[in-house]
């Protein structure tokens, strides 16, 4: 297959050559590791209950009975095509589950800044054609392996019929010396920065752009004069880009760092054009966000209470709920990356996952599913949340799509499995879970406006 | 299955009917009286009620990436941007059976259709946004023949599954990407050197050439700027007689007179619209309250962001074909500018003579949410209600509007034109917006009363494709449990496919997506939905 579309990161490449031998696929046009892993691997696996092979019907029934009996189920992972995500959200509504994407931390950081002050951004092709300067926190290739080739170094742009001359500034730690170098071997400027210094650095950049003073020098370990020079270059650029990868920002106040970058964008756009580029989108994260927004009005993370979505980016974090013992059934969906579910001791896990997923311990129910763009058609939303990519079926694997399994589980749940019969399966005692949930609700009220 | 709607006052201006008569429905269509032998399977007594075709909203932002951005920008607001399911339910409960998304960015079309497929009950459609796409501006720069441009426009309509074409701030969104902050009607834009006037005329002519049964939808330049009346009058002239629909005209009817350099120019605009028979409009009425404005016009939205309330906004440059800007707004009756905007909208409604060329909108959610239509209808129908409302607004605005002096009250017939017959005719929908045999059985039955707001907010009965979906302003429980799906209306003009070669090359060189993957295929979105194709009447030019 020529020009295959790739669902494995937010870049949405559609130029892959994928060769097929039986049901085995191999990417031969790029060495992108995410694509190679995603298109590769087994095309078959048996469903399992408690680690023992089971027929699909039995696995579906068992999944439905666990979910129907749960008082605080969590639908997590959510790495599927849009149809699968839509069906998962519908199921969550029906069973009163919390909903969190596997990249929920990154989504929450960006959404927090967006809901706070808004921002100014651009979609990928706009950046490909217009950028003359990119300042990125971290190497964008960490989130999107072919970023440089596809976005930054085209042979020509709308503006000029020649390869663009672009300035690249990469801020961060562990950035390789060749990262961001142009095909003509012009090196990027690399500014070392400790990971957790980003909030301080972003705040200083934004203060400088607004004409303010920064008194602590260096700021976040970087001399203020150097930061002033970066702001000056952004101010002088015709179409500057500021990129960050929220998934890599696992330090305190990450949401404030994004908000500071948004302020920097607001300040720069008073005189010139500068756009933000929130990197990421693997696991169809933006598809999950968009589907949730249009079908519930709210972004993840949320929990359905009496069919109504209640959003709280902290409270309904699946990781937090598992750690706090507030979850009594975990439905894990990953039809893309083969990421295993989080370790959740004592909690029954239903895993809709690709063959070859490496579980730490056998889930209560394993239902193998196909990947969109590999085993079946589907759509994913690119990292810029603008382009929905149509994906093809590349082989006959008999692996069901997430949407099919979701619909079967939903109808089994609806078929009226009596929750009372299954209540004893929830560990830790229903009372304690309920008590913690109630505490969670009260916390919700006190917090006022979540996230 | 034969359904009888018995003895209602049928207000059906498209067929020049205003009389008590029965309406018969079979297989989702209105049918002739089958004669005395036929026994209806279901009969609804409509005695004393008013029967109209289902409402049609030809301009309401109901889907697409920018609505999701608006939702994400304002998580604290509930109900302003309803989720897809509620859009369908709320429209249906209000007696509307179709709504058209007016600003579908071509690169976002697939997502918009995925979202629209989740809007239940009502029919949908969308206008593809062109006129800021680098490809078109380039064709114009190269002085390509109008046939090639029409082929391109037709190709984009087909590729994005559009019902029509809208141009937003012609060339201005593209100009903003080059850091141009204002673009006058006759000012050459950056890089491509095209004036808004030329872009507008080129697109209007392309639709004419393709025979698209719908005028070019135009969001004029200089939205929201005091004194933009001249731009708007220039735009009307610039259409040179070609069919154009000027959308949310209220935002484009501003003078710059008075102490505050902001005044109503509604009468000048109305006069020009009355004289130009090729022009239709919708108003984009401002209704007081909190909203989030959503527009592709990044140039205007960036400028307006200083009025954001709460103080936050989003601007996005999109994929070499458009943009979007989201700015939360609170329209306050005690604010001079907001109050005058409210009055200007009503002046436009009341001063444009021909109701067939006016569609009732608030430009949802930009002037207000679509659920405020019943109140707006009462403002139009009920002079004393309007005068009371006028007393509530900021006094300088009250002094600056002639609204109090306007005696006109809309009749039921005229409201039926504004809300269904007119939009259907403007959209070229032959079997919607009226109640003659053969039409789709999208029917709303109202219980008349002194309070037009109550009447239009809670229709007694609403039928979609012949099935009862709502009663007394509430969607039926069994419909809620399994809502029917409406149709998607599209226009797919005949065209020379040669232009596709250029588009393919363009996508391969400059976009991150091949043209084949850019274009929607019939089998991929909403295959469960009915696709209704509306024919074109190509014209040699
Ligand atoms: S960069 Fe992303 S979209 Fe492109 S091939 Fe690699 S994983 Fe796929
Ligand atoms: Zn609009």
């Amino acid at each position: 297959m020529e020009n295959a579309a790739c669902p494995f990161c937010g870049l949405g490449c559609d130029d892959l050559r994928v060769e097929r031998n039986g049901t085995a696929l191999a990417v031969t046009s790029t060495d992108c590791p995410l694509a190679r892993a995603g298109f590769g691997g087994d095309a078959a696996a048996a469903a399992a209950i408690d680690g023992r092979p089971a027929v699909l019907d039995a696995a579906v029934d068992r999944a439905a009975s666990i979910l129907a009996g749960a008082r605080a189920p969590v639908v997590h992972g959510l790495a599927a095509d849009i149809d699968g995500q839509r069906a998962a959200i519908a199921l969550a509504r029906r069973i009163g589950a919390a909903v969190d994407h596997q990249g929920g931390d990154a989504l929450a950081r960006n959404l927090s800044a967006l809901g706070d002050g808004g921002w100014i951004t651009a979609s990928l092709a706009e950046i490909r054609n217009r950028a003359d300067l990119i300042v990125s926190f971290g190497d964008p290739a960490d989130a999107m392996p072919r970023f440089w080739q596809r976005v930054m170094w085209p042979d020509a742009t709308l503006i000029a019929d020649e390869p663009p001359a672009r300035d690249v500034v990469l801020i961060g730690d562990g950035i390789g010396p060749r990262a961001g170098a142009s095909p003509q071997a012009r090196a990027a400027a690399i500014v070392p920065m400790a990971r957790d210094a980003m909030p301080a650095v972003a705040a200083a950049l934004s203060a400088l752009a607004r004409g303010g003073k920064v008194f602590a020098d260096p700021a976040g370990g970087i001399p203020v004069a150097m930061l002033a020079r970066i702001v000056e270059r952004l101010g002088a650029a015709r179409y500057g880009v500021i990129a960050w990868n929220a998934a890599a920002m696992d330090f305190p106040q990450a949401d404030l760092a994004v908000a500071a970058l948004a302020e920097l964008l607001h300040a720069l756009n008073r005189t010139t054009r500068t756009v933000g580029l929130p990197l990421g989108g693997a696991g169809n994260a933006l598809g999950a966000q968009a589907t949730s927004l249009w079908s519930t009005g709210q972004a993840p993370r949320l929990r359905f209470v009496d069919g109504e979505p209640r959003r709280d980016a902290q409270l309904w974090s699946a990781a937090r709920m598992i750690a706090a013992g507030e979850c009594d059934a975990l439905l894990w969906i990953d039809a893309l990356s083969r990421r295993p579910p989080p370790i959740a001791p004592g909690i029954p896990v239903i895993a809709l996952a690709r063959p070859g997923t490496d579980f730490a311990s056998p889930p209560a129910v394993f239902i193998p599913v196909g990947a969109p763009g590999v085993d079946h058609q589907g759509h994913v939303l690119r990292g810029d949340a603008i382009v929905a990519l149509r994906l093809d079926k590349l082989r006959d694997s008999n692996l069901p799509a997430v949407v099919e399994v979701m619909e079967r589980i939903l109808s089994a749940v609806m078929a009226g499995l009596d929750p009372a019969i299954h209540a004893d399966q929830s560990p830790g005692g229903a009372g304690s879970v309920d008590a913690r949930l109630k505490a969670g609700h009260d916390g919700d009220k006190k917090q006022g406006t979540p996230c | 299955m034969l359904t009888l709607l018995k003895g209602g006052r049928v207000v059906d201006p498209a067929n020049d009917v205003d009389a008590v008569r029965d309406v018969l429905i079979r297989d989702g269509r209105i049918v002739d009286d089958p004669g005395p032998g036929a026994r209806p399977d279901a009969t609804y007594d409509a005695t004393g009620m008013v029967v109209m075709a289902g409402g049609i909203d030809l301009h309401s932002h109901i889907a697409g990436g920018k609505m999701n951005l608006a939702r994400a920008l304002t998580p604290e607001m509930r109900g302003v941007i309803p989720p897809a399911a509620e859009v369908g339910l709320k429209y249906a409960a209000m007696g509307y059976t179709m709504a058209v998304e007016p600003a579908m960015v071509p690169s976002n079309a697939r997502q918009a259709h995925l979202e629209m497929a989740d809007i239940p009950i009502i029919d949908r459609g969308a206008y593809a946004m062109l006129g800021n796409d680098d490809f078109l501006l380039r064709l114009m720069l190269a002085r390509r023949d109008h046939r090639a441009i029409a082929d391109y426009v037709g190709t984009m309509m087909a590729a994005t599954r559009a019902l029509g074409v809208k141009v937003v701030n012609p060339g201005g969104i593209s100009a903003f990407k080059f850091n141009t902050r204002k673009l006058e009607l006759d000012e050459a834009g950056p890089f491509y050197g095209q004036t808004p006037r030329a872009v507008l005329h080129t697109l209007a002519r392309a639709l004419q050439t393709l025979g698209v049964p719908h005028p070019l939808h135009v969001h004029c330049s200089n939205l929201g700027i005091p004194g933009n009346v001249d731009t708007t009058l220039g735009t009307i002239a610039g259409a040179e007689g070609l069919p154009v629909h000027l959308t949310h005209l209220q935002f484009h009817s501003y003078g710059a007179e008075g102490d505050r350099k902001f005044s109503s120019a509604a009468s000048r605009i109305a006069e020009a619209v009355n004289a130009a028979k090729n022009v239709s409009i919708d108003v984009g009425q401002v209704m007081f309250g909190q909203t989030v404005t959503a527009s592709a016009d990044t140039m205007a939205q960036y400028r307006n962001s200083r009025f954001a309330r709460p103080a936050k906004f989003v601007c996005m440059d999109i994929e070499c074909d458009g943009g979007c800007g989201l700015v939360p707004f609170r329209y306050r009756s005690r604010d001079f500018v907001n109050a005058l905007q409210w009055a200007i909208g009503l002046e436009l409604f009341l001063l444009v003579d021909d109701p067939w060329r006016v569609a009732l909108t608030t430009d949802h959610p930009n002037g207000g949410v679509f659920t405020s239509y019943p109140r707006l209808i009462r403002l139009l129908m009920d002079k004393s209600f309007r005068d009371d409302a006028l007393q509530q607004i900021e006094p300088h605005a009250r002094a600056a509007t002639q609204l109090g002096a306007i005696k006109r009250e809309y009749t039921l017939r005229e409201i039926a034109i504004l809300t269904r017959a007119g939009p259907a005719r403007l959209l070229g929908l032959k079997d919607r917006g009226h109640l003659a045999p053969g039409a789709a059985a999208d029917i709303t039955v109202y219980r008349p009363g002194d309070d037009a707001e109550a009447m239009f907010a809670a229709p007694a009965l609403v039928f979609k494709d012949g099935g009862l979906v709502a009663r007394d302003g509430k969607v039926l429980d069994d419909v809620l449990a399994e809502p029917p799906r409406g149709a998607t209306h599209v226009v797919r003009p005949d065209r020379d496919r040669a232009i596709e070669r250029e588009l393919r090359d363009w996508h391969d060189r400059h976009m991150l997506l091949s043209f084949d993957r850019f274009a929607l295929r019939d089998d991929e979105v909403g295959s469960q939905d009915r696709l209704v194709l509306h024919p074109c009447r190509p014209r040699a030019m």
Side-chain angles (χ1 to χ4, degrees), chain A residues 6 8-13 16 30 32 34-35 144-146:
Chain A
C6 174
F8 297 110
C9 88
L11 196 53
C13 300
L16 277 71
T30 167
C32 171
L34 293 179
M144 298 171 166
R146 298 177 67 205

Side-chain angles (χ1 to χ4, degrees), chain B residues 7-11 18-21 46-52 412-413:
Chain B
R9 173 184 165 194
V10 174
V11 180
D18 184 347
V20 173
R21 58 170 68 171
T47 309
M49 312 255 199
V50 171
V51 181
M52 293 189 190
L412 266 186
R413 176 178 178 276

Side-chain angles (χ1 to χ4, degrees), chain A residues 38-364:
Chain A
F39 285 99
D42 293 344
I49 297 176
D50 296 325
R52 286 182 295 277
V55 295
L56 183 58
D57 281 346
V60 165
D61 283 349
R62 177 88 170 113
S65 84
I66 292 172
L67 292 172
R71 286 159 200 268
V74 175
V75 176
H76 191 24
L78 217 57
D81 62 339
I82 284 173
D83 277 349
Q85 291 169 333
R86 185 158 48 179
I89 291 169
L91 175 67
R93 190 192 288 268
R94 188 61 67 167
I95 61 176
V99 176
D100 188 7
H101 187 266
Q102 57 180 225
D105 283 328
L107 293 180
R109 286 169 194 139
N110 284 337
L111 284 164
S112 164
L114 178 60
D116 229 37
W119 62 28
I120 296 168
T121 59
S123 69
L124 289 167
E126 207 71 76
I127 289 170
R128 172 178 155 122
N129 282 289
R130 290 182 201 276
D132 55 351
L133 166 65
I134 175 167
V135 175
S136 176
F137 288 86
D139 181 348
D142 293 346
M144 298 171 166
R146 298 177 67 205
F147 176 83
W148 296 106
Q149 177 206 348
R150 296 272 292 166
V151 180
M152 276 294 130
W153 307 124
D155 294 335
T157 63
L158 294 175
I159 312 296
D161 208 9
E162 58 191 17
R166 287 176 168 156
D167 290 330
V168 177
V169 179
L170 301 179
I171 307 174
D173 64 349
I175 296 174
R178 301 230 306 279
S182 76
Q184 298 77 30
R186 206 155 73 92
I190 293 173
V191 182
M193 178 195 77
R195 238 174 138 61
D196 56 2
M198 187 177 164
V201 171
L205 287 169
S206 135
L208 291 166
R210 280 176 288 138
K213 264 202 171 356
V214 175
F215 295 100
D217 191 356
I222 303 176
V224 170
M226 189 181 280
L227 296 177
R229 175 82 192 110
I230 291 173
V231 169
E232 203 177 295
R233 286 172 75 177
L234 282 163
R238 288 189 314 274
Y239 202 84
V241 178
I242 297 171
W244 67 93
N245 175 10
M249 295 166 61
D250 50 350
F251 42 74
Q253 305 205 310
D255 51 342
L256 296 185
V258 179
L261 295 182
E263 274 180 39
L264 174 61
L265 290 163
H266 285 318
L268 289 162
N269 276 284
R270 291 200 187 116
T271 52
T272 185
R273 292 308 318 278
T274 317
V275 294
L277 174 60
L279 299 158
N284 195 21
L286 279 301
Q289 180 172 304
T291 309
S292 178
L293 281 165
W294 90 57
S295 58
T296 75
Q298 306 284 321
R301 297 152 166 153
L302 52 83
R303 180 167 187 263
F304 287 100
V305 179
D306 299 331
E308 290 301 314
R310 302 265 174 85
R311 174 159 195 268
D312 190 315
Q314 272 77 50
L315 212 52
W316 311 130
S317 147
R320 194 204 64 77
M321 291 179 75
I322 291 166
E326 291 172 16
C327 156
D328 64 359
L330 179 65
L331 171 57
W332 173 259
I333 301 166
D334 188 335
L336 288 164
S337 70
R338 296 197 186 84
R339 193 196 290 197
I343 293 170
I347 298 171
V349 175
I350 300 152
L352 272 60
R354 298 184 66 187
T357 300
D358 191 10
F359 295 101
S361 60

Side-chain angles (χ1 to χ4, degrees), chain B residues 11-14 50-58 94-98 355-356 358-360 377 412-427 429 432-435 442-446 456 459 461-462:
Chain B
V11 180
D12 182 16
V50 171
V51 181
M52 293 189 190
I56 298 173
D57 195 343
L58 61 50
M94 200 172 70
Y96 271 66
T97 50
M98 178 169 181
W356 288 100
V358 182
L360 184 133
I377 290 171
L412 266 186
R413 176 178 178 276
E414 287 176 321
I415 292 296
I417 295 171
L418 255 61
T419 53
R420 47 267 285 165
R425 187 178 283 185
L426 287 169
L427 289 169
L429 308 173
R432 316 271 148 159
H434 70 91
L435 296 171
D442 296 352
I443 304 170
T444 305
V445 180
Y446 298 103
F456 282 93
L461 303 167
V462 182

Side-chain angles (χ1 to χ4, degrees), chain B residues 320-344:
Chain B
C320 309
D321 63 355
C324 74
L326 295 318
V327 184
F329 253 67
R330 239 178 75 216
Y331 293 108
R332 291 173 307 152
S333 60
R334 293 282 161 189
D335 175 274
F336 169 75
V337 171
N338 296 166
L340 197 51
Q341 287 179 303
W342 174 86
I344 290 168

Side-chain angles (χ1 to χ4, degrees), chain B residues 468-485:
Chain B
L468 184 67
V469 292
R471 195 190 273 277
D472 298 326
K474 289 203 176 55
V475 175
L476 304 180
D477 284 342
D478 61 323
V479 172
L480 282 176
E482 209 169 322
R485 298 276 147 198

